[in-house]
Amino acid sequence: MAETGTGAGTDASGEAAREAAVEAALGKLDLDAKARLLGGRDMWSLHPLPEIGLTSLVMSDGPIGVRGVRWTADDPSVALPSPTALAAAWDPALARRAGRLLAQEARRKGVHVLLAPTVNLHRSPLGGRHFEAYGEDPLLTGAIGTGYVLGVQDGGVGTTVKHFVANDAETDRFTVDNRVAPRPLRELYLAPFEAIVKNARPWGIMTAYNQVNGVTMTEHHELVNEVLRGEWGFDGFDVSDWTAARSTAGALRGGLDVAMPGPATVYGEALAAAVRAGEVAESAVDTAVRNVLRLAARVGALEGAPPAVTEPPAPIDGDALARELAHRGFVLVRNEAPVRTGRPVLPLAPGTTVALSGAAARAARVLGGGSAQVFPDHVVSPLDGLAAALPEGALTYAVGADPSDEPAPAGQGFALRARCRDAAGNLLGEGSLPGGQVQWIGDDLPEGVTHEALASVEVVGTFTPRETGEHSFGTRGLGAFVLTVAGETVFDGVQAMGSETDPFEAFFGSPVERAEVPLTAGETVEVSLLHTLDEESAAPLPVVAFSLVHLGPRLDPDELIAEAVEEARAADTAVVVVATTERVESEGFDRTDLKLPGRQDDLVRAVAAANPNTVVVVNAGSPVEMPWREDVAAVLLTWFPGQEGGAALANVLTGAEEPGGRLPTTWPAALADAPVTDVVPVDGKLAYTEGLFIGYRAWDRSGRTPAYAFGHGFGYTTWSYDSLVAGPDTATVRITNTGGRRGRETVQIYLAPAPSSGAAERPARLLAGFASVEAGPGETVEAEIALSRRAFEVWDEEKGDWTFVPGAYEVRAAHSLDDVRLTVALEID
């Protein structure tokens, strides 16, 4: 099922040497130095302490790519598919390879610790940040997270498993008090963290913004000191989410080692003063410092300590792995055989002509919004990928429908730079921009620029339109702006704060149109957006964030759809790419519905009516409603597929590769059907009243049928399940590839307790294990799958401990939750 291990550098001699170096270094530090180490030096790093040979520890966001300490296109990053895509592969070994690549990227950028993986659960489909998590099931999430952590740490780079804990939605995330009963807290939300701590020995944990049962997580002594460290044996460092720490004494007593970011934190001078005032013990400071020094020793940042990894894994081709991760995570949820052909529409037959439509086919969304964003040095769109894969003349393209009818950060056709000036107008420095979005956090500023001196930023450059007509220009962000297009000032004013409560929501929120300017295709014009900074609109962090936004001429949406229909009618196969936008899925806010934005549903219906061989590619990080799903021949979920997504898509559509994914989260037909939807706190509290019943557990209990069940997905071959033998620890499944090509199957084992098995209410069935196997045509293979002991246990709230539940169970070998192939009875004493 899951690839486990003790992690890099856990040999006894190496561990002993590192611990000795940690103790020696700790003994040389005075109180002020220790307190300084526990507070950030800046946005991404800790203070160096040359007196003990400690270099500055550097952290970076990194779920899908390593940004480094500067959020800039001048230092591009490999952009892998979204974590939902990684989970959809159901392969911890593949996740480990992804982790090794990210460690390679981290070393290249001088980063010691990645702020990842995110192992919060898909409690409600409305969670706006679900693209950054692995799914709804704790066992699958824990297994993929274990692989990721092992891979990163194989490369000698630390991880911070986040966000500990119950940080499962974005609404009021800084203050919300999530009320979770002990049993679901243990069996669901803590379970992935526990699995990763025990199986991968992560070097770090990040505690969340939210409260759990009335206690903020950065001060949660019970969950951090007693459970994480005491019960599970976690020996790494505990870092706050950025600005989450609120109390000096409370955080230290609650087990928080590092308060980020700096230089203003609740630690540092405030912590030293608290010790001298008798509010906290210096021994508690020593414990925290010891954890940080242990991290430094493991990553090679402490003199005299042998690093955990002296020889990193062999170099990895980032582009090739990004393509592999993408197609392995693509989930083919529908693949029908239209009457006129008699064969499934995918893979495409040789010589097929294709009519491609959808704005997202030309401008794919390859990653989600928020702190996970990176700048890849290239992006292969679906249009790019298919154009390269198909013979000349076999592909046509029409926009059809755009997921957004509002301006977006300036992109194609723009060549832009950012000029930074002080209050006197002197040029401090300048840097290139990949588009109209300025997003500088901490030291992301161009060389020579400081937050203290910076007074204004001007985005300047040119725009060469590809369409003639009225082009809309505008701004996004807070503060004063002067917008100039083609030598004319079209806006000079101030954007005030609206209802946003989260800086990410304010930044990724509504763009404001300022002017429409008539332009001619191919004729270049100069553009400029001057943004003057002021304290009133300043964020709580040292951040400069605003955008020059643009929208091309608004064409009649009915005419766009009609054009796509005409092309589809003339082609053998129609491929429609639909997508969400950063206004739908992003860090900082939750969704209010699951609908595709714009006229995309209308486009799909119209194209499907014109061509029975219609394939819909869904470019979204988490579930969306697909009311047309029964009217099309195929539906392929590509998540946010990373920089090589278009190449991977072409490989899958043409049959060069098989879509390898299975759903890591249940896909509802409509939001109204979903059993758990609430993400909005009431009086500051969000009660998890559903208890154990989220995801497929809740669907089973409700008796409702989703559009596509957990674990669902087709490949390009067929499988027979020949035999199943199960005991309390393992299940052995023999399967045969009964199709005509080599393929991969994800064998899933579900455990169904009999109603009499124990007094505690239990879900009707639980994922207990899984494995991926490959076989050629006619070949039989055997999968031996370890069964999770936790599938036979419940958390006893009265005893405060796990209880094994004997009795009758069914062990089910399945292609997916709703496609069980073999069942055997199992009696547990």
Side-chain angles (χ1 to χ4, degrees):
M1 175 197 65
E3 181 169 347
T4 61
T6 55
T10 56
D11 59 289
S13 60
E15 286 283 272
R18 283 188 288 277
E19 287 302 304
V22 166
E23 293 303 321
L26 177 62
K28 298 176 183 177
L29 297 177
D30 61 20
L31 174 61
D32 291 308
K34 289 185 285 190
R36 186 166 66 255
L37 177 61
L38 301 182
R41 177 178 70 167
D42 51 33
M43 182 60 64
W44 304 116
S45 67
L46 302 185
H47 292 275
L49 296 177
E51 62 267 34
I52 59 170
L54 176 67
T55 59
S56 176
L57 286 165
V58 178
M59 293 170 265
S60 170
D61 282 309
I64 56 94
V66 183
R67 186 180 63 246
V69 297
R70 297 184 63 229
W71 210 329
T72 170
D74 293 336
D75 184 15
S77 309
V78 173
L80 300 180
S82 61
T84 42
L86 186 61
W90 287 60
D91 189 344
L94 185 65
R96 190 167 189 167
R97 290 172 57 206
R100 287 176 173 173
L101 172 62
L102 293 176
Q104 175 179 296
E105 283 280 280
R107 292 193 307 272
R108 179 175 68 83
K109 292 185 174 232
V111 169
H112 301 103
V113 182
L114 292 188
L115 304 175
T118 299
V119 299
N120 301 115
L121 298 182
H122 291 192
R123 173 180 166 268
S124 160
L126 293 176
R129 200 177 179 181
H130 280 346
F131 60 85
E132 199 178 316
Y134 293 135
E136 68 187 31
D137 182 78
L139 184 138
L140 177 62
T141 294
I144 301 302
T146 292
Y148 177 101
V149 168
L150 286 172
V152 174
Q153 294 180 179
D154 284 345
V157 175
T159 57
T160 58
V161 189
K162 65 183 188 181
H163 307 84
F164 190 74
V165 60
N167 185 204
D168 310 300
E170 294 294 282
T171 304
D172 295 346
R173 62 176 175 159
F174 293 105
T175 57
V176 63
D177 180 6
N178 293 321
R179 297 289 176 144
V180 194
R183 188 176 169 204
L185 184 61
R186 289 282 187 159
E187 294 187 25
L188 293 177
Y189 303 103
L190 287 172
F193 291 94
E194 180 182 10
I196 295 169
V197 167
K198 292 184 175 179
N199 294 327
R201 289 194 62 193
W203 299 344
I205 291 281
M206 181 189 290
T207 43
Y209 291 118
N210 56 281
Q211 302 175 57
V212 171
N213 299 327
V215 182
T216 188
M217 278 309 306
T218 52
E219 302 172 27
H220 214 302
H221 175 87
E222 177 189 358
L223 293 180
V224 174
N225 288 330
E226 296 179 14
V227 176
L228 174 65
R229 295 195 185 280
E231 292 183 26
W232 303 346
F234 173 68
D235 67 353
F237 90 122
D238 173 20
V239 61
S240 72
D241 204 339
W242 268 225
T243 74
R246 300 166 175 86
S247 163
T248 300
L252 191 68
R253 294 191 194 103
L256 184 70
D257 297 324
V258 174
M260 290 294 290
T265 91
V266 298
Y267 283 171
E269 292 180 2
L271 179 57
V275 172
R276 292 186 174 107
E279 298 172 8
V280 293
E282 188 168 356
S283 60
V285 175
D286 289 345
T287 297
V289 171
R290 188 176 286 112
N291 293 331
V292 176
L293 293 178
R294 184 178 297 118
L295 168 69
R298 286 168 167 166
V299 301
L302 180 63
E303 187 176 301
V309 175
T310 55
E311 294 186 15
I316 298 171
D317 183 329
D319 291 349
L321 183 56
R323 282 192 299 276
E324 182 182 355
L325 290 170
H327 75 73
R328 287 284 306 278
F330 288 174
V331 183
L332 183 61
V333 295
R334 180 176 173 85
N335 193 20
E336 296 299 304
V339 174
R340 75 181 190 187
T341 64
R343 62 176 295 276
V345 69
L346 294 180
L348 299 174
T352 297
T353 58
V354 174
L356 180 66
S357 61
R362 184 172 62 186
R365 189 176 183 204
V366 300
L367 41 80
S371 59
Q373 285 192 329
V374 295
F375 295 115
D377 65 4
H378 69 275
V379 170
V380 182
S381 70
L383 179 57
D384 296 333
L386 283 169
L390 295 176
E392 186 175 351
L395 178 69
T396 62
Y397 173 70
V399 173
D402 196 312
S404 176
D405 61 357
E406 62 184 18
Q412 189 165 351
F414 286 85
L416 302 171
R417 295 187 64 78
R419 293 176 179 164
C420 302
R421 291 185 170 85
D422 62 17
N426 300 309
L427 184 66
L428 300 172
E430 59 181 282
S432 62
L433 291 175
Q437 184 165 293
V438 175
Q439 189 168 304
W440 298 331
I441 299 181
D443 293 335
D444 291 346
L445 299 171
E447 186 174 353
V449 181
T450 65
H451 285 281
E452 291 74 20
L454 182 62
S456 69
V457 180
E458 185 179 15
V459 175
V460 296
T462 61
F463 173 54
T464 305
R466 59 188 177 191
E467 298 161 317
T468 297
E470 296 287 331
H471 287 253
S472 297
F473 292 85
T475 64
R476 185 169 65 179
L478 305 175
F481 295 97
V482 179
L483 175 62
T484 303
V485 181
E488 179 183 351
T489 298
V490 295
F491 175 74
D492 185 347
V494 175
Q495 178 65 39
M497 185 75 165
S499 59
E500 302 93 346
T501 59
D502 188 306
F504 276 106
E505 183 178 5
F507 177 60
F508 290 108
S510 299
V512 181
E513 289 188 46
R514 303 300 186 183
E516 286 191 342
V517 180
L519 299 176
T520 303
E523 294 188 5
T524 300
V525 295
E526 293 185 349
V527 294
S528 167
L529 178 64
L530 174 63
H531 174 49
T532 303
L533 282 63
D534 65 85
E535 294 184 0
E536 289 186 7
S537 60
L541 300 174
V543 174
V544 179
F546 68 96
S547 297
L548 166 64
V549 297
H550 165 262
L551 180 67
R554 286 182 169 89
L555 304 177
D556 185 287
D558 292 326
E559 291 182 7
L560 290 177
I561 291 174
E563 179 186 358
V565 167
E566 183 178 351
E567 298 286 0
R569 189 174 286 119
D572 297 325
T573 300
V575 176
V576 184
V577 181
V578 297
T580 61
T581 69
E582 66 179 20
R583 298 274 281 115
V584 175
E585 291 185 272
S586 177
E587 180 178 351
F589 53 87
D590 291 311
R591 295 195 276 178
T592 56
D593 59 48
L594 301 182
K595 299 181 185 302
L596 286 168
R599 294 282 302 278
Q600 296 182 100
D601 286 335
D602 294 337
L603 172 65
V604 173
R605 290 188 184 99
V607 169
N611 190 327
N613 291 334
T614 293
V615 178
V616 181
V617 176
V618 182
N619 178 196
S622 53
V624 295
E625 293 179 3
M626 301 184 293
W628 32 259
R629 67 188 187 282
E630 300 293 337
D631 302 324
V632 301
V635 178
L636 182 67
L637 311 179
T638 61
W639 314 101
F640 296 144
Q643 66 183 43
E644 294 290 320
L649 176 65
N651 287 340
V652 166
L653 294 182
T654 60
E657 300 288 356
E658 182 183 42
R662 304 293 183 263
L663 284 180
T665 196
T666 305
W667 207 279
L671 177 61
D673 298 335
V676 181
T677 58
D678 57 318
V679 293
V680 179
V682 177
D683 297 328
K685 300 178 178 62
L686 182 61
Y688 286 32
T689 55
E690 70 283 347
L692 297 172
F693 297 94
I694 67 168
Y696 64 84
R697 308 162 186 238
W699 285 91
D700 279 348
R701 192 187 199 196
S702 71
R704 303 171 192 169
T705 301
Y708 302 109
F710 179 79
H712 175 67
F714 299 117
Y716 285 159
T717 189
T718 55
W719 301 87
S720 69
Y721 279 56
D722 306 325
S723 66
L724 166 64
V725 178
D729 301 315
T730 60
T732 303
V733 185
R734 289 177 64 83
I735 66 173
T736 300
N737 182 342
T738 56
R741 60 174 285 165
R742 187 170 188 82
R744 177 185 294 269
E745 173 74 337
T746 298
V747 180
Q748 303 163 38
I749 300 295
Y750 295 92
L751 195 67
S756 59
S757 294
E761 182 183 19
R762 307 181 73 185
R765 48 191 168 171
L766 295 171
L767 181 68
F770 61 91
S772 293
V773 293
E774 286 190 64
E779 185 180 354
T780 297
V781 291
E782 188 172 272
E784 185 170 312
I785 302 169
L787 300 185
S788 167
R789 178 177 173 84
R790 282 289 159 79
F792 298 95
E793 294 179 327
V794 299
W795 181 259
D796 189 316
E797 294 185 348
E798 291 186 6
K799 294 181 180 179
D801 201 356
W802 292 99
T803 297
F804 190 80
V805 183
Y809 292 84
E810 278 189 354
V811 179
R812 301 170 178 175
H815 172 77
S816 68
L817 187 78
D818 65 349
D819 186 1
V820 175
R821 303 294 180 88
L822 296 171
T823 300
V824 298
L826 181 65
E827 189 72 29
I828 300 294
D829 297 327

